[in-house]
Amino acid sequence: MIQASLHGAEDAHLLHRLDGVLLVAAGRSCCEVADWFGVDRRTVERWVRTASVTGIEGLARHRQPGRPARLEGDQAQVIQQALRSAPAALGYPDRRWTGKRVALLLTKQCGLAMSIRSCQRLIRRVRSASPKAP
């Protein structure tokens, strides 16, 4: 019941890591805590080291920025709207979007050169975000 209430909580990761650090502080070994939590021993050691250097705030999950998006605001909206319609609506003979077709569309409409694989990922993202028809 406690796990279920924490499942969607924003601080669940922080509490999980803090529990591990507190168990180590109470005398449990990192190996023992790692076994209980289902993580690697080095992970628990990292939690303990982070808590001792930066405090509890350091245990919170921080967003990793990653690579910046190639498509910006308006471009992303235009491409997403195009991918939600059939290729025929834009004059393409294909019945469905392919990575190659999207790469051509991006070059034509946005002046961007993206790999076919990246375009396939873009198709998948747009499809998974679109509401399903009943």
Side-chain angles (χ1 to χ4, degrees), residues 32-43:
E32 192 175 16
V33 173
D35 286 342
W36 290 343
F37 282 58
V39 296
D40 190 83
R41 167 191 54 86
R42 291 177 296 252
T43 300

